[in-house]
Amino acid sequence: MTKTLRTQLLIAFMCLALVAYLVLLGRVAIAMIGSGRAAAVGLGAALLIMPVIGLWAMIATLRDGFTHQRLARLIAADGMELDTSALPRRASGRIERDAADALFATVRTEVQADPDDWRRWYRLARAYDYAGDRRRAREAMKTAVTMQARR
């Protein structure tokens, strides 16, 4: 079994577990509402919102993950994936900070030279991630997704 398949199975299991939990939570909320007591009805109504929020978060996360995978396939097909195989790594497997910063500087220059290419923004998002700046990586990935969708 490949690492990708194991990861996909783990994600599927976690989604199923979350759905089961949300169903149970919804049942408890409905039972509380059905009790007719004012406090229980109020708590049940508030609790009924949680499965809706949880389901929305799961769907949004999966949708974004599928979109990012699609972009990764397109980047790989274009031969533009960042090659980090030669970069020095820590014992944990993460790229050493100085090497990640140097990679980031190179990719940032590419984006500045061609800011209208979604592929450059995708590479920038990956470089931000390698450098440990997750917030900016998400912003750059959102830009890449938006630009690629407009193509």
Side-chain angles (χ1 to χ4, degrees):
M1 184 180 316
T2 66
K3 183 179 178 183
T4 302
L5 181 59
R6 278 194 312 262
T7 302
Q8 290 172 344
L9 289 174
L10 179 63
I11 291 169
F13 173 76
M14 296 301 286
C15 287
L16 288 174
L18 179 61
V19 167
Y21 175 74
L22 295 175
V23 166
L24 292 174
L25 190 61
R27 290 181 65 198
V28 169
I30 290 170
M32 290 176 79
I33 292 169
S35 74
R37 288 176 279 153
V41 170
L43 288 173
L47 194 59
L48 197 54
I49 294 170
M50 299 308 286
V52 174
I53 293 171
L55 190 60
W56 170 82
M58 182 184 75
I59 291 170
T61 301
L62 287 172
R63 186 186 63 233
D64 288 347
F66 289 136
T67 301
H68 298 171
Q69 281 184 329
R70 184 175 53 79
L71 292 187
R73 283 192 301 273
L74 292 172
I75 286 289
D78 291 345
M80 292 185 66
E81 183 62 57
L82 288 177
D83 182 18
T84 60
S85 60
L87 298 178
R89 297 185 179 267
R90 298 179 189 162
S92 65
R94 286 197 59 84
I95 298 171
E96 287 187 12
R97 181 65 186 217
D98 293 340
D101 288 343
L103 175 67
F104 169 75
T106 302
V107 175
R108 183 180 58 200
T109 303
E110 292 175 6
V111 171
Q112 290 170 344
D114 190 6
D116 296 327
D117 186 0
W118 69 267
R119 292 168 188 83
R120 304 294 179 196
W121 284 96
Y122 177 87
R123 289 169 54 93
L124 183 66
R126 297 291 303 208
Y128 271 129
D129 186 50
Y130 291 134
D133 191 343
R134 298 295 188 312
R135 183 181 61 80
R136 287 192 175 117
R138 284 189 298 272
E139 291 172 9
M141 187 61 77
K142 284 179 188 176
T143 302
V145 168
T146 301
M147 293 175 82
Q148 197 280 329
R150 284 188 281 177
R151 273 190 50 215

